[in-house]
Amino acid sequence: MAQAQAFYWLTDVEIAKAKHDAASAQAKSAAMALSAQVNLLNTILDKMAADPEVLAAITLAKPELLALVAEKLEKHVPNVLKIRILLPGVNEIDEKSTPRMGFADLDLVRETLAKNQSPGIQGDKGLDRHLAIARRIMLNNQPSGVILASLDEALVLKTLKAISVTDVYLELRQANLVVGALGNKPISGTFTEEKVKVSDTDWEVYYQYRGGGSIVDMVMILSVIAVPMLFMLLTFFVGYRKTSEILTLDLQSLVRAVKDMMTNSMSGNYPVQMAEMSSIISTLIQFKRVLENQNKAQAFGIGNDVFDTDMNIIVTDDEDFNLDGFFNDKKL
C-alpha cells in the first residue's frame, strides 16, 4: 500500500510538472506573438519616420502640411485609427479627432523625444480606447518630431485570440488593466497563476492552470495501480488453490504408501506430482528394503555382511514408482 501511495504521489508530481510546462509554453507562445506584432508595427512607423516627405514636413513645421502627410500615412498602417505628426514642445491635448489624444498620449510623446517608448493601451473604454505607438523622427541626428499612431485595440485582441490554448487561461495585462483574455477562467478548485513578460512592451501575460491532477487523472492513476495489484492477488489465489490441491493429492498418496508399507501390502504405483514427495516415497521404499534384508539375515543366522546391507539410501526423483520389481525380489 505504501508503494502504491508513493507511486501515486510521484505520478501526480509528474502530471503537475507536465501541466506547468504545457501552460508555460502556451503563455510564452502568446507573449512571442504579441511581441512580434508590436515589433512589426514599430518597424513600419520607423520607416515612415525616415520618409523624405515626413522629414520635409518636419523641416517646414507647418501644421496643415503635417496633418496632410499624416493622413497619407494612415493608408499604409493596418487597423489604424489616427496618425499624428507632432513637433517638439507640443503641450496640448487633441479632443477634436477620434480617438482623442489625452494626457497619457501627450506624456508618451514627450518621453519618446528622449527615447522610443513601449506602446500601450490608452484612453477610456469606448471610442477613445486605442493602442498608442510613438516613434521618434530624427533629422540631422537630432530628435525633431514624433509619429503618434493610434490603432484599434482589436488588433491586439485578434493576435491574442489567434493562439490555440488547452487547459489554460491567459490574461494580457498592462499594470492593473486587463487588455484581453483567452481560454476558460477557472471558477473553483486549486489553481496556479504565473506570468510571462511581453518583450518590448509594458505588458505581461498571466496564465492560470490547475496545478494537481484532475479527477480523470486520479482515476487513471488509481486504475494503473489497482489493476496490476488485483491481477497479482488473483494469480496468487489461483496458484495457492492449485498448489493446495496438488499437495493434498500427493499427501494422500504418501499416506497410502506408508500405510501399505506398515501392513506389508504394497502394490501398484503411488502417483505424485511434486518431486519432493517422489523423493520421500523412494526413500521409504529403500529403507524398507534394507530392513527386510536385515530381517532375512537374522532369520537364517547369517551375518549382515553377507547381504551387504549398508544404510546408504539413494534418493530418486521419479514421480511414479512401479513396485513389481520390489516385490519380485522378496520371493524366496
Side-chain angles (χ1 to χ4, degrees):
M1 188 64 182
Q3 292 178 345
Q5 291 177 345
F7 176 77
Y8 172 79
W9 181 81
L10 290 174
T11 306
D12 190 61
V13 170
E14 289 299 322
I15 290 176
K17 183 178 183 302
K19 288 190 174 183
H20 170 270
D21 293 343
S24 177
Q26 293 177 77
K28 289 178 181 179
S29 176
M32 290 176 61
L34 292 167
S35 178
Q37 182 68 58
V38 168
N39 287 333
L40 175 61
L41 294 171
N42 286 338
T43 301
I44 293 173
L45 293 179
D46 284 337
K47 290 183 178 180
M48 290 180 174
D51 186 89
E53 192 172 1
V54 173
L55 296 177
I58 287 292
T59 302
L60 295 175
K62 294 182 178 181
E64 299 82 1
L65 181 59
L66 293 173
L68 181 62
V69 173
E71 186 176 350
K72 291 181 179 180
L73 295 179
E74 290 175 359
K75 300 177 181 180
H76 304 286
V77 182
N79 296 89
V80 68
L81 299 175
K82 182 69 177 176
I83 287 182
R84 297 177 174 89
I85 300 177
L86 305 171
L87 297 172
V90 59
N91 54 16
E92 294 182 359
I93 61 176
D94 178 10
E95 295 185 329
K96 297 179 181 180
S97 304
T98 302
R100 292 181 294 179
M101 184 181 75
F103 290 104
D105 293 305
L106 190 59
D107 290 338
L108 178 62
V109 170
R110 291 171 177 171
E111 293 171 355
T112 300
L113 285 169
K115 180 183 177 182
N116 283 331
Q117 301 295 308
S118 299
I121 302 296
Q122 312 279 27
D124 297 329
K125 191 69 176 179
L127 295 177
D128 289 331
R129 176 65 63 86
H130 62 278
L131 170 63
I133 302 180
R135 308 300 288 180
R136 286 192 302 176
I137 301 173
M138 301 296 292
L139 185 62
N140 298 324
N141 294 326
Q142 296 292 327
S144 303
V146 172
I147 292 182
L148 176 64
S150 299
L151 297 101
D152 191 345
E153 66 171 339
L155 179 64
V156 177
L157 300 179
K158 182 179 179 180
T159 302
L160 185 64
K161 292 180 179 179
I163 302 165
S164 177
V165 297
T166 305
D167 297 330
V168 65
Y169 173 72
L170 304 180
E171 278 189 357
L172 177 62
R173 300 181 190 176
Q174 177 180 294
N176 295 325
L177 173 66
V178 178
V179 178
L182 185 63
N184 297 321
K185 187 176 180 62
I187 300 175
S188 61
T190 302
F191 297 92
T192 301
E193 181 177 85
E194 298 184 31
K195 62 181 179 180
V196 176
K197 181 79 169 66
V198 180
S199 300
D200 302 319
T201 70
D202 293 329
W203 300 337
E204 291 177 321
V205 175
Y206 284 76
Y207 59 99
Q208 297 178 359
Y209 63 95
R210 188 182 296 274
S214 64
I215 295 177
V216 176
D217 295 329
M218 293 175 63
V219 171
M220 291 181 63
I221 293 172
L222 292 176
S223 298
V224 171
I225 297 173
V227 171
M229 291 184 65
L230 291 175
F231 180 76
M232 290 175 60
L233 290 174
L234 180 61
T235 302
F236 173 80
F237 178 74
V238 172
Y240 171 78
R241 290 292 301 272
K242 185 64 176 177
T243 303
S244 178
E245 292 175 1
I246 293 174
L247 184 60
T248 300
L249 294 174
D250 284 4
L251 284 175
Q252 290 176 355
S253 294
L254 177 61
V255 171
R256 190 169 64 254
V258 173
K259 180 180 178 181
D260 291 346
M261 288 178 188
M262 295 178 64
T263 59
N264 292 321
S265 60
M266 296 187 68
S267 62
N269 297 328
Y270 299 93
V272 292
Q273 298 186 47
M274 298 180 66
E276 291 78 6
M277 290 297 182
S278 176
S279 298
I280 292 173
I281 295 176
S282 177
T283 302
L284 290 174
I285 292 174
Q286 294 182 53
F287 184 69
K288 182 174 179 60
R289 189 191 299 271
V290 170
L291 292 178
E292 289 180 348
N293 287 338
Q294 289 179 347
N295 291 335
K296 290 178 183 181
Q298 292 175 1
F300 288 95
I302 302 173
N304 291 342
D305 55 338
V306 174
F307 290 91
D308 192 19
T309 56
D310 60 36
M311 297 296 290
N312 293 328
I313 299 172
I314 301 174
V315 179
T316 65
D317 57 357
D318 295 336
E319 293 186 359
D320 298 331
F321 297 94
N322 191 331
L323 301 180
D324 293 340
F326 170 69
F327 288 107
N328 289 336
D329 292 341
K330 293 175 62 178
K331 295 179 181 180
L332 299 177

